[in-house]
């Protein structure tokens, strides 16, 4: 892109992002977003084509879960919850335990960039809910090499439209590790804390979706970081995905402030070392800045726009999130140095 229209300004309270671009009058997608167009009223084509959230509700999700639960006979667990310790995965864990009454194993991939309070938040939530926990940690040098490879690699448009390239690679790794563990323990369901529009728009996804995510990022990461990916993905070619993926937040009345409030009641704390779009990962703020500089749009803007269209967030709230990163330039620079880029 020859002309920069998105500018990042440092301040004592954090980085502010200024958009000298047209922004959809209905959602918050900017003119720099891929394949976007606007009608005469300034409404983008993504809004024009929005058909609403797919027709999943609590009742039919519960019926689906109860049907799949029968496949866990002989296993200690019904569901593996991919648990980051952030607000969304914590609330998802709470829903799967309390609303759907599942026997749960929580799995965390420690990427070496977790917030300072995340470990304590996990302990509080897991102890409160009485849930077993499995933590997987690859060496920081391996994770850093994967992230550096993601930053420098060439990815297709669908990769960077919806998240940063590093986040995509991390999700691929989380899925691959999670499926290996679920296969080993004969667990038929996998759940996460994704919000509507973040990864898909459906409350239930079949195994081929998970397999597609794993294959997409495994193939690319082998190209840009062969040594690091071989360390964690040596079994990828033999990996058979049989689990369904459940997104319980898709059928909840998702309101961020209410979720945070309910978690704080049991002792969960909002991190002070993460940006406005993450409640567990320190690296995310650096990745947002990198994405803004490379592509001239915020990596969370598609998700935020989906929330606005679906009535889960006001347009003003979305504009605030995409305009304020809540960490300083010094903090981002330290992360850049830590990552070694």
């Amino acid at each position: 892109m020859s002309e920069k229209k998105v500018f990042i300004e440092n301040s004592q309270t954090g980085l502010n992002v200024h958009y000298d671009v047209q922004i959809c009058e209905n959602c918050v997608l900017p003119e720099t977003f891929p394949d976007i167009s606007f009608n005469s009223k300034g409404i983008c084509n993504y809004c024009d084509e929005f058909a609403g959230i797919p027709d999943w509700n609590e009742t039919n999700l519960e019926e689906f879960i109860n049907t799949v639960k029968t496949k866990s006979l002989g296993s200690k667990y019904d569901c593996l919850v991919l648990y980051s310790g952030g607000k969304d995965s914590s609330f998802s864990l709470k829903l799967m335990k309390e609303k759907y009454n599942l026997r749960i194993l929580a799995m965390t991939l420690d990427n070496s960039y977790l917030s300072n309070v995340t470990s304590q938040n996990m302990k509080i939530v897991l102890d409160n809910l009485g849930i077993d926990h499995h933590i997987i940690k690859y060496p920081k040098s391996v994770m850093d090499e994967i992230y550096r490879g993601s930053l420098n690699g060439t990815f297709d448009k669908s990769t960077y439209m919806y998240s940063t390239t590093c986040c995509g690679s991390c999700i691929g790794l989380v899925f691959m590790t999670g499926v290996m563990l679920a296969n080993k323990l004969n667990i038929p369901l996998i759940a996460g804390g994704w919000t509507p529009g973040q990864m898909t728009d459906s409350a239930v996804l079949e195994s081929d979706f998970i397999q597609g995510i794993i294959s997409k990022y495994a193939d690319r990461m082998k190209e840009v970081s062969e040594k690091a990916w071989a360390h964690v993905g040596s079994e990828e070619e033999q990996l058979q995905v049989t689990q369904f993926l459940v997104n319980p937040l898709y059928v909840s009345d998702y309101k961020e402030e209410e979720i945070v409030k309910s978690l704080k009641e049991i002792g969960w704390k909002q991190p002070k070392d993460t940006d406005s779009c993450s409640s567990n990962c320190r690296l995310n703020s650096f990745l947002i800045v990198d994405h803004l500089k490379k592509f001239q749009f915020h990596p969370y803007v598609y998700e935020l726009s989906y929330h606005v269209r679906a009535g889960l967030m006001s347009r003003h709230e979305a504009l605030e999130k995409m305009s304020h990163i809540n960490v300083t330039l010094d903090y981002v620079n330290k992360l850049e140095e830590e990552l070694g880029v």
Side-chain angles (χ1 to χ4, degrees):
M1 188 172 298
S2 58
E3 183 182 357
K4 299 292 184 181
K5 295 186 176 182
V6 177
F7 307 92
I8 302 173
E9 175 190 37
N10 192 32
S11 74
Q12 291 183 342
T13 58
L15 296 172
N16 299 314
V17 187
H18 302 281
Y19 298 87
D20 185 19
V21 295
Q22 181 177 4
I23 294 177
C24 176
E25 295 293 331
N26 184 60
C27 69
V28 291
L29 286 181
E31 65 178 76
T32 46
F33 194 78
D35 302 328
I36 196 168
S37 61
F38 300 93
N39 63 23
S40 59
K41 296 181 180 180
I43 307 297
C44 75
N45 53 309
Y46 290 91
C47 284
D48 284 338
E49 296 165 5
F50 181 64
I53 298 176
D55 189 21
W56 277 94
N57 56 50
E58 291 182 359
T59 300
N60 55 33
L61 179 59
E62 185 172 11
E63 291 173 351
F64 174 83
I65 288 174
N66 288 335
T67 299
V68 177
K69 270 175 63 175
T70 61
K71 298 181 180 180
S72 65
L73 295 177
S75 173
K76 185 179 178 180
Y77 305 106
D78 302 311
C79 182
L80 180 74
V81 175
L82 305 177
Y83 186 43
S84 71
K87 65 182 187 308
D88 293 331
S89 65
S90 293
F91 193 69
S92 179
L93 197 67
K94 194 170 185 289
L95 284 176
M96 297 301 280
K97 173 73 174 185
E98 296 179 347
K99 184 177 288 290
Y100 300 106
N101 194 31
L102 294 174
R103 299 172 301 160
I104 294 169
L105 174 64
M107 187 205 85
T108 299
L109 175 67
D110 183 346
N111 70 347
S112 299
Y113 289 94
L114 294 180
S115 164
N116 292 330
V117 303
T118 295
S119 178
Q120 184 63 22
N121 280 342
M122 286 181 178
K123 184 179 185 303
I124 288 169
V125 172
L126 292 162
D127 286 350
N128 184 275
L129 296 173
I131 290 175
D132 294 346
H133 193 202
H134 188 94
I135 301 174
I136 295 171
K137 189 177 190 326
Y138 300 113
K140 186 175 187 298
S141 59
V142 170
M143 295 304 301
D144 283 349
E145 188 169 343
I146 288 175
Y147 290 145
R148 287 193 297 267
S150 299
L151 288 170
N152 299 322
T154 301
F155 294 87
D156 59 34
K157 183 170 56 180
S158 65
T159 300
Y160 64 80
M161 284 174 68
Y162 312 121
S163 70
T164 71
T165 53
C166 284
C167 291
S169 297
C170 198
I171 290 171
L173 179 56
V174 169
F175 272 140
M176 184 171 68
T177 308
V179 168
M180 287 179 182
L181 182 59
N183 284 347
K184 182 179 180 180
L185 299 177
N186 192 33
I187 303 175
L189 280 173
I190 293 177
W194 292 281
T195 62
Q198 187 174 38
M199 188 168 60
T200 73
D201 57 3
S202 179
V204 174
L205 295 161
E206 297 189 8
S207 58
D208 57 352
F209 177 87
I210 305 176
Q211 185 69 68
I213 295 289
I214 294 171
S215 299
K216 176 180 181 179
Y217 289 104
D219 289 346
R220 279 167 171 71
M221 290 315 301
K222 284 176 182 176
E223 294 174 7
V224 299
S225 189
E226 180 72 36
K227 181 180 177 181
W229 199 253
H231 181 91
V232 299
S234 57
E235 300 179 45
E236 190 270 332
E237 291 182 1
Q238 290 78 41
L239 193 64
Q240 295 296 316
V241 183
T242 59
Q243 294 80 13
F244 290 93
L245 178 65
V246 177
N247 292 312
L249 296 184
Y250 283 40
V251 299
S252 68
D253 184 20
Y254 183 85
K255 298 291 184 183
E256 183 175 316
E257 65 276 9
E258 293 177 10
I259 285 176
V260 171
K261 180 181 178 181
S262 71
L263 292 173
K264 284 183 176 179
E265 289 174 355
I266 62 173
W268 186 93
K269 296 180 180 179
Q270 185 80 43
K272 296 181 179 180
D273 55 350
T274 61
D275 60 273
S276 58
C277 290
S278 176
S279 52
N280 69 294
C281 182
R282 296 184 298 113
L283 187 61
N284 200 61
S285 57
F286 164 74
L287 300 178
I288 289 174
V289 172
D290 179 77
H291 194 281
L292 281 162
K293 290 179 177 179
K294 285 179 179 175
F295 304 114
Q296 293 284 281
F297 65 88
H298 197 294
Y300 284 82
V301 74
Y302 181 86
E303 174 191 342
L304 294 172
S305 293
Y306 189 98
H307 286 188
V308 173
R309 294 187 207 106
L312 305 175
M313 177 183 291
S314 72
R315 187 172 184 270
H316 174 74
E317 289 174 311
L319 286 170
E320 285 291 305
K321 276 188 170 290
M322 62 186 276
S323 300
H324 304 291
I325 302 180
N326 288 1
V327 296
T328 64
L329 183 60
D330 285 344
Y331 186 78
V332 171
N333 288 340
K334 288 177 182 177
L335 286 169
E336 185 177 29
E337 182 178 350
E338 183 180 348
L339 185 58
V341 294

